[in-house]
């Protein structure tokens, strides 16, 4: 069986003198020459992004890095309180909240837009959007990326990301469809909802050609930086114990 | 009690119209203007890095992102095989291997250097290094950052990172002490070991003024990008099932 | 706002002299008097199980505890290799593989049976089963609990669990429907598949009245014991490093 | 290399007709005959416990299963709120808090007692205890298992566990030393502290002959049941969103 054991990879390898990553010499060609966001894109997409793509991609990561005291940030701080010897555990606990509700909109929106585009006919993007929103309503499904609990009129990240994509010449079909949904949905839903930041990030990542199934991964990478910020702040100015005590002291026992 | 509930933070906040992060307007001042690595540094350190600091910092992240089929990469792939519906779980599983052995050298080395410097007297860095290595040997402790299973003569990342730090004018006491250890340790250990990449990254992060207790966090952030690359490759070209079968079929039952 | 802070719970509370759990005095009434499996059932279901229910429930946990070198067991061992200082991280990494593929059948099967029963009409269980399998095939969905890669004729756990349920007088509609599926599916699928152990466990847990949404949780609890066994064995007789080296040495670099 | 691939295990294996676990026939000899706690002990210790050992062991697991709104319970609930599609993620997040502070006392205490006993001379347990407490104080280390934030006079779990160990004839040197510490520590520390429940659990597990390095694992297994109870209650009577809103609404932004 030995001869058959083959575990192929195109990521990294090394020998005594050199380290290869993505077909490049890590030390000579990547370190100091390639940014971290650029490398993350390259690792997942398997192709090197252009400078404009890097700018849009990093803008997405910056937009998603931190959202204040989210449930995931609180979970990471509480875990750090309980197990300060294991920073990786606190980070992992925070990332594990990156599921369907608080961090899933980016992927859901990118997937929704890609699915609509895959079966869309014609060039009238407003008509395509109208049809997609109408179908979603008929099936009692939410349109991902619409609405925000705090930014009820406009999410400030949305126009900025669209502007950057336009400046860099990579405004594509997903962002266009997303904007069209922003225009037409009031006809169907009878109220005007903002296009939210998580959604526009999903649209931008899809326009960057990144695989829809990995979009949640970029939200997680961005959030990893935010969670490290939360944990570092917890070290400097702890609040997790107060959160715990607030809950514990206001527990009402109802057996 | 209500009046007393106060959870202070200097990271993020938002209102209906704007989002603040680190005292900046996220949409106007950060998105498209600040790189992701730069933001990660800022979030943890609480101060904005200079352009030179960003370059060194991102070179560290690039150096640590992926190391091929490490135990953590394999664990992430196996978890993705078992639970493909939960990308966050596969990423978290990979990060949980970021402990003392395979990912801890960066933090250990930064901490070791900082501890030695805190109690060092005089300017003779080779004498300080000699004393530190001698003490470590007497206490039967390893000197973190020395030696590598593959790069037995020189780790190619080490000179590159030192060069970048020098070019950017941020070569500082930790890197200097680390290089001195590289010069003097053969006098004590009777063999010449290379200064490894994980160690030089720890020295560089310490010279960047980042808190020693958070150094493992940067290794984890870097590795998060590498693990996403591993998971994306597992989607395109799966090997986890073959790894599982290789183990299972070669199991020897010895009750 | 303080007056409004109320976090109700019916699980545990304590004061200076006593600890309550589930409305019982932990020290006086539970410790030494209630088994661990019994307590786990009680904690999730919110009611104390009968002795017969405990026997069936623990038989399920015993059946699911370990399955040898599964991907989750290997992931836990590799994580322990990388971070031996954090046993909780190795256990968590193993549990994170408890998703849709390798550990999800128990929940999927319980849910499938419950859904079929909720809309079934009449008493003819074979007719109900036939309809369910026919519908699943038409919708190109698998019937959870059918088939096993190793136990191609019969899974030895299945008849034992059915016998225990019968002995204890808690053989109910889910197990009955599951057995009917075992009888009728060849008419639709044109081959005879075994009723697998994970599936029969799901049917039994559903017959015990446990909430379908929590069934995966019991598989995870059972697996937690198995993973501790794997980690303890990894300490006594390590294989994780050999697994890692087997993969690394047979890596084929294809940039 | 193929011939050399050998991954030995004494846990589980299976063939087409049967499943072996720990050298037993899983279906015929374990299911319905062995309790879940008994199996967990056997898996880790590699030997089958006696009935009395099972009773003491399960009393420990029952004692440690739930402690109300601990940081780990809150973290699990918040993670479930964020990612309800991934029960395994919520459970893992809760377990990741099982580190040095809130769940580590059991292991720390067992280890402390074992270390003291390993180097103790003579039979005078009070003298050994006095020496151990004196040494710990001189080294400015806490004595694990002493003191409790709520049970300031007596932890109700402690006498019960000692009674059970005595009844079952397995009261051994670790519990004896722990009780001696309870008697003599006021001479050194100048105040009387209770022997806490986590500590007595560690002493009992050590007397059961379980490996000290795995003691945290049993606390984690017990807690897994408690966390499932917390998550099940969160489904029935959610509080995680209120916790999140309590923190978020009382955030004070101090850039």
């Amino acid at each position: 069986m030995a001869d058959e054991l083959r575990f192929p990879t195109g990521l990294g390898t090394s020998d005594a003198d050199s380290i290869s990553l993505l077909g490049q010499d890590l030390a000579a060609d990547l370190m100091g020459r390639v940014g971290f966001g650029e490398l993350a894109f390259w690792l997942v997409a398997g192709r090197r992004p252009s400078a404009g793509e890097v700018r849009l991609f990093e803008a997405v990561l910056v937009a998603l890095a931190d959202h204040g005291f989210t449930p995931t940030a609180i979970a990471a701080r509480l875990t750090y309180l309980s197990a300060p010897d294991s920073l990786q555990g606190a980070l992992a606990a925070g990332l594990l909240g990156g599921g369907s509700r608080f961090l899933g909109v980016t992927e859901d929106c990118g997937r929704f837009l890609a699915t609509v585009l895959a079966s869309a006919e014609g060039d009238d993007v407003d008509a395509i959007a109208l049809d997609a929103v109408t179908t979603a309503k008929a099936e009692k499904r939410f349109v991902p990326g619409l609405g925000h609990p705090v930014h009820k009129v406009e999410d400030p990240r949305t126009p900025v990301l669209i502007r950057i994509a336009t400046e860099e010449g990579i405004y594509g079909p997903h962002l266009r469809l997303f904007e069209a949904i922003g225009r037409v949905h009031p006809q169907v839903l009878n109220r005007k909802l903002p296009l939210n930041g998580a959604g526009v990030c999903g649209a931008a990542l899809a326009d960057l050609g990144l695989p829809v199934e990995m979009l949640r991964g970029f939200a997680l990478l961005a959030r990893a930086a935010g969670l490290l910020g939360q944990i570092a702040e917890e070290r400097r100015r702890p609040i997790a114990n107060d959160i715990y005590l607030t809950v514990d002291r206001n527990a009402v026992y109802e057996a």
Side-chain angles (χ1 to χ4, degrees), chain A:
Chain A
M1 182 179 183
D3 320 75
E4 303 165 33
L5 278 182
R6 279 174 55 90
F7 301 111
T9 181
L11 299 180
T13 189
S14 62
D15 58 26
D17 300 320
S18 73
I19 303 173
S20 290
L21 186 62
L22 297 161
Q24 315 295 309
D25 184 309
L26 173 69
D29 301 333
L30 299 180
M31 287 171 63
R33 297 173 186 272
V34 169
F36 178 57
E38 185 174 355
L39 182 73
F41 186 114
W42 197 344
L43 279 163
V44 174
R47 69 173 180 87
R48 185 169 189 172
S50 71
E53 288 176 322
V54 170
R55 184 164 171 247
L56 181 61
F57 179 66
E58 298 213 60
V60 168
L61 296 182
V62 167
L64 296 176
D66 187 79
H67 286 73
F69 289 143
T70 55
T72 60
I74 303 170
R77 286 180 181 249
L78 288 165
T79 305
Y80 189 70
L81 170 70
S82 295
D85 44 309
S86 171
L87 182 58
Q88 71 271 24
L91 178 59
L95 293 174
L96 287 171
S100 54
R101 271 195 217 162
F102 275 77
L103 212 63
V105 175
T106 296
E107 179 165 323
D108 291 346
C109 187
R111 188 188 304 273
F112 177 80
L113 298 171
T115 304
V116 170
L117 288 171
S119 64
E121 293 180 7
D123 288 339
D124 185 344
V125 69
D126 279 31
I128 294 169
L130 193 61
D131 186 54
V133 176
T134 304
T135 302
K137 190 190 177 193
E139 295 174 353
K140 299 191 179 180
R141 290 187 294 107
F142 286 106
V143 176
L146 273 187
H148 194 281
V150 174
H151 310 300
K152 294 185 188 296
V153 176
E154 185 179 68
D155 188 318
R157 294 166 292 186
T158 303
V160 170
L161 212 57
I162 290 168
R163 176 176 55 71
I164 294 171
T166 306
E167 285 172 5
E168 302 298 342
I170 40 184
Y171 178 93
H174 301 83
L175 281 167
R176 192 157 50 109
L177 175 58
F178 193 54
E179 288 207 278
I181 288 171
R183 284 191 297 275
V184 307
H185 77 269
Q187 298 175 41
V188 184
L189 306 181
N190 297 317
R191 55 184 180 145
K192 171 91 174 162
L193 295 167
L195 295 171
N196 65 43
V200 75
C201 287
L205 293 172
D207 270 351
L208 284 164
L210 294 163
V212 162
E213 297 79 6
M214 293 299 297
L215 295 195
R216 185 184 297 189
F218 299 112
L220 292 166
L221 177 63
R223 190 52 56 93
L227 289 168
L228 290 176
Q230 294 279 342
I231 294 168
E233 189 177 73
E234 179 68 23
R235 290 182 51 81
R236 295 193 303 266
R237 192 159 45 171
I239 61 164
N241 202 52
D242 283 352
I243 294 172
Y244 155 53
L245 292 176
T246 298
V247 177
D248 193 47
R249 288 176 183 165
N250 292 286
V252 178
Y253 193 63
E254 299 175 350

